[in-house]
Amino acid sequence: MKKSDFHYDLPAELIAQAPLPERSASRLLLVPPDAAPFEDRHVRDLPDLLREGDLLVFNDTRVIPARLFGHKAGSGGRVEILIERLLPGNEARAQVGASKPLRPGGRIELDAGGEAEVLGRDGEFYHLRFVVDGALESWLLHAGRLPLPPYIRREPGADDDERYQTVFAREVGAVAAPTAGLHFDDALLEALRERGVQSGHVTLHVGAGTFQPVRVDDIADHRMHSEWLNVGAGLVEQVRRTRAAGGRVIAVGTTVVRALESALVDGELQPFAGETQIFIFPGYRIRSVDALLTNFHLPESTLLMLVSAFAGKARIFAAYAHAVGERYRFFSYGDAMLLWPERAA
């Protein structure tokens, strides 16, 4: 399959630039399998769309304020840093924007105080050591800036500090939010509990590579960026009990699908903590979940390929055409869809 097979036209005005005042007020496009008609609903309708005994699986990663600014020591050239991953010893892997490539041993004087030393480079990422007050993770909380996605054409505001985090975020380490989870507020979670819908959590720290385009025409040649995940024994047991009782496992977001699929061993979910570079595109059979709640994804993106593998490419593109026609809001702060798998798969 070609990258161009996953292109669609999206009017720029449909790219959501800010969240709605109420998280669960986002629209929800219900996409049943095969030829059943689409339904235009709202995320707050989820308790009516799910059943007692179903299990919602969330990604509990927490976004770090990962964007920093500074200048090269000596030349004074401006530098922008986007931390991709925190490493031990106040070190980090990061994307660095500068007029010229940085060399090992070079230093960046940070606007927020302290400095970063260039230790080396691995492909598009730099390995940096930070000399700052205290632990880097804690220092970033007041020195870093929230890394909104590049298609949001504004600077982050005070509201983004709360709204670009899920209400259940707890494991620090992502540089982008698991956006399907942004639609859930405390009231909706309580309504789901009253309905008898269970919830569980995995952790997958979304990396900066999630915004990188596919640069090869034949998608089979694409290599995914690496992300760290943890699927705990408790979640594995929840999934086992849910399936044994006839309930359904519903992933909240593509990151949950990637985490669960990475933890499958001979078709069985097993506890797993470590790296994944799993790339899911049509031809891959997703076995770990029965339904998927997800936002709308960029044209030609790996996430659009993933949802096409789950629900069928033709079905997904018909749903996207419907969403464009009905003026749904797209991407991180946009609306959502609830997908059921292609029966033929």
Side-chain angles (χ1 to χ4, degrees):
M1 299 186 103
K2 304 298 183 183
K3 176 178 69 171
S4 57
D5 293 334
F6 295 88
H7 179 77
Y8 67 92
D9 294 321
L10 178 68
E13 65 271 17
L14 296 186
I15 301 175
Q17 296 297 304
L20 296 177
E22 182 184 351
R23 290 178 185 261
S24 59
S26 295
R27 297 170 74 187
L28 178 67
L29 178 59
L30 186 62
V31 183
D34 303 327
F38 304 132
E39 292 184 38
D40 298 304
R41 306 290 290 264
H42 288 86
V43 173
R44 59 173 172 257
D45 297 332
L46 273 174
D48 297 326
L49 300 173
L50 302 181
R51 302 193 299 240
E52 181 180 358
D54 285 344
L55 172 65
L56 285 169
V57 183
F58 299 97
N59 183 1
D60 63 5
T61 189
R62 187 169 186 84
V63 181
I64 57 176
R67 179 165 276 123
L68 297 164
F69 297 89
H71 60 270
K72 295 178 184 178
S75 71
R78 293 297 293 169
V79 175
E80 179 178 351
I81 299 171
L82 177 60
I83 292 176
E84 200 271 342
R85 183 177 302 191
L86 299 173
L87 302 172
N90 272 17
E91 297 178 9
R93 186 170 68 178
Q95 295 177 344
V96 177
S99 58
K100 295 181 180 179
L102 304 179
R103 296 184 177 182
R107 293 183 300 111
I108 304 167
E109 296 180 0
L110 303 169
D111 291 354
E115 64 177 30
E117 178 188 358
V118 180
L119 300 180
R121 189 169 183 178
D122 179 15
E124 63 188 292
F125 296 106
Y126 284 87
H127 187 182
L128 305 178
R129 178 190 294 123
F130 287 82
V131 181
V132 296
D133 292 333
L136 178 57
E137 178 183 314
S138 301
W139 180 81
L140 284 171
L141 295 178
H142 66 82
R145 298 179 65 180
L146 194 72
L148 288 179
Y151 43 76
I152 295 181
R153 305 295 185 181
R154 62 175 176 82
E155 290 299 310
D159 288 349
D160 294 302
D161 290 339
E162 179 218 350
R163 293 301 303 275
Y164 198 62
Q165 300 278 13
T166 64
V167 298
F168 41 80
R170 59 188 180 189
E171 301 294 338
V172 175
V175 300
T179 54
L182 297 178
H183 300 290
F184 291 79
D185 51 30
D186 290 334
L188 177 57
L189 291 172
E190 178 58 29
L192 288 163
R193 282 192 292 268
E194 292 178 356
R195 172 68 169 157
V197 176
Q198 311 164 70
S199 63
H201 298 86
V202 299
T203 302
L204 185 144
H205 291 323
V206 189
T210 192
F211 300 121
Q212 294 300 308
V214 175
R215 294 188 172 93
V216 294
D217 188 38
D218 186 342
I219 65 173
D221 294 333
H222 177 68
R223 294 296 173 263
M224 291 288 288
H225 55 284
S226 179
E227 293 172 315
W228 186 89
L229 68 94
N230 180 37
V231 176
L235 187 278
V236 171
E237 178 60 19
Q238 277 187 290
V239 169
R240 188 197 65 78
R241 289 200 308 264
T242 297
R243 289 261 166 81
R248 301 171 297 184
V249 177
I250 299 145
V252 179
T254 55
T255 60
V256 171
V257 174
R258 295 187 70 238
L260 295 179
E261 289 294 309
S262 298
L264 289 178
V265 177
D266 295 328
E268 294 293 328
L269 192 64
Q270 302 289 340
F272 174 74
E275 303 288 329
T276 185
Q277 290 181 278
I278 191 170
F279 179 25
I280 297 172
F281 57 93
Y284 181 105
R285 182 186 174 195
I286 294 172
R287 295 169 291 173
S288 60
V289 302
D290 304 301
L292 168 61
L293 189 141
T294 182
N295 281 23
F296 295 92
H297 303 294
L298 276 70
E300 301 183 359
S301 65
T302 60
L303 300 183
L304 180 57
M305 296 169 192
L306 184 154
V307 297
S308 296
F310 183 68
K313 180 176 177 291
R315 186 67 165 158
I316 287 294
F317 273 73
Y320 272 55
H322 176 93
V324 170
E326 295 296 322
R327 312 293 289 178
Y328 275 66
R329 303 164 73 249
F330 277 64
F331 307 158
S332 293
Y333 276 148
D335 296 316
M337 57 199 315
L338 180 59
L339 302 174
W340 302 96
E342 187 177 31
R343 286 201 181 103

